[in-house]
Amino acid sequence: MSEQQAEKEIAGKYKVTWKGWLSLAFLCISFSGLLTSSPTVFRALDFTALTGKFGTIAGSKHIFQGAGGIGAREGLLFTITLIPTVMLALGFIQVAESLGALRAAEKLFRPFLRPFLGIPGVAGLAFVSSFTSSDVGAVMTKELVENKMMTDDERVIFVSYQYAGSAVVTNTFGTGGPLIPISVLPVGAIIGLIFICKIFGAILVRFYMGTYRKKHPLEEGA
């Protein structure tokens, strides 16, 4: 099956609805931080605003975590303060995904995969799925290679993209969750920077593979 045929088959199988585009737009706007300081009602769409903040104990300026705590008990209370942020973010992602946001993002990114990364557009869904799950992206990549939709060299480039900062959205809120409250950048900007670094790394690997293949061309039929 040619690359064009595979892309047409996938496009016909997964149709993007207005719900998918709307949920994708909501995720981008909410996580971008563009509305964090907005004085308008649209600030209600901002992730930080939706996360809110804890109130203070009556007669004190501290939240339930208090002040001066150390050790495991302090660590436990600090962890509890992270739960609302992580749960809300992962909830947003799961709902948006069920509405077709990943399909919309896949359609958005597909035209850029071949020119920038040198991988086929049929990898668009795996490309987007790797935002939230390294396992899903890996399984999809394996299937693409096994179905002859992606060459070994293309797999090397694609894996280099996925491996660096894998599951960027999920891990930013999960592993990097403790740093979000003290970060000077909005979470959308953090994810955007990681994404740019991933793309840059994959482009470097693509350049290396091109140079390598000039010196070590593939044998016919390989």
Side-chain angles (χ1 to χ4, degrees):
M1 181 184 294
S2 68
E3 181 180 329
Q4 290 77 13
Q5 288 176 324
E7 291 182 8
K8 287 182 180 179
E9 181 176 316
I10 291 178
K13 188 176 180 180
Y14 304 114
K15 291 187 177 180
V16 181
T17 66
W18 64 270
K19 294 179 182 178
W21 289 113
L22 183 63
S23 55
L24 177 62
F26 174 78
L27 281 185
C28 293
I29 293 173
S30 183
F31 290 155
S32 68
L34 295 175
L35 300 175
T36 301
S37 303
S38 174
T40 68
V41 69
F42 293 108
R43 185 172 181 270
L45 299 176
D46 183 73
F47 179 75
T48 304
L50 289 171
T51 304
K53 61 180 181 180
F54 292 107
T56 56
I57 298 175
S60 170
K61 60 180 180 180
H62 300 295
I63 63 173
F64 70 91
Q65 187 180 2
I70 59 173
R73 290 180 176 176
E74 173 66 8
L76 174 62
L77 290 179
F78 178 70
T79 303
I80 292 175
T81 66
L82 301 177
I83 293 176
T85 302
V86 176
M87 288 184 64
L88 182 62
L90 296 182
F92 275 1
I93 294 168
Q94 289 296 321
V95 172
E97 185 175 355
S98 68
L99 292 174
L102 286 186
R103 307 291 183 195
E106 180 265 339
K107 192 171 185 178
L108 188 67
F109 285 114
R110 180 188 292 262
F112 302 100
L113 293 181
R114 177 63 78 186
F116 284 92
L117 299 182
I119 60 177
V122 71
L125 188 56
F127 177 82
V128 175
S129 297
S130 67
F131 286 8
T132 56
S133 172
S134 56
D135 296 336
V136 173
V139 170
M140 288 183 175
T141 303
K142 177 176 176 290
E143 291 179 351
L144 289 173
V145 175
E146 290 180 347
N147 292 327
K148 308 296 182 185
M149 296 179 186
M150 179 180 286
T151 66
D152 286 341
D153 287 356
E154 291 168 345
R155 176 178 56 181
V156 171
I157 298 171
F158 196 27
V159 169
S160 71
Y161 160 80
Q162 295 184 50
Y163 186 76
S166 63
V168 57
V169 175
T170 303
N171 285 334
T172 297
F173 289 103
T175 310
L179 300 177
I180 292 177
I182 60 175
S183 173
V184 296
L185 293 176
V187 66
I190 296 173
I191 294 174
L193 285 174
I194 298 174
F195 176 69
I196 291 173
C197 291
K198 286 163 65 70
I199 293 293
F200 182 70
I203 291 174
L204 287 180
V205 173
R206 181 189 183 188
F207 176 76
Y208 171 78
M209 291 302 299
T211 305
Y212 179 82
R213 283 300 169 213
K214 287 181 181 178
K215 298 179 180 178
H216 305 84
L218 288 172
E219 296 180 1
E220 190 174 350

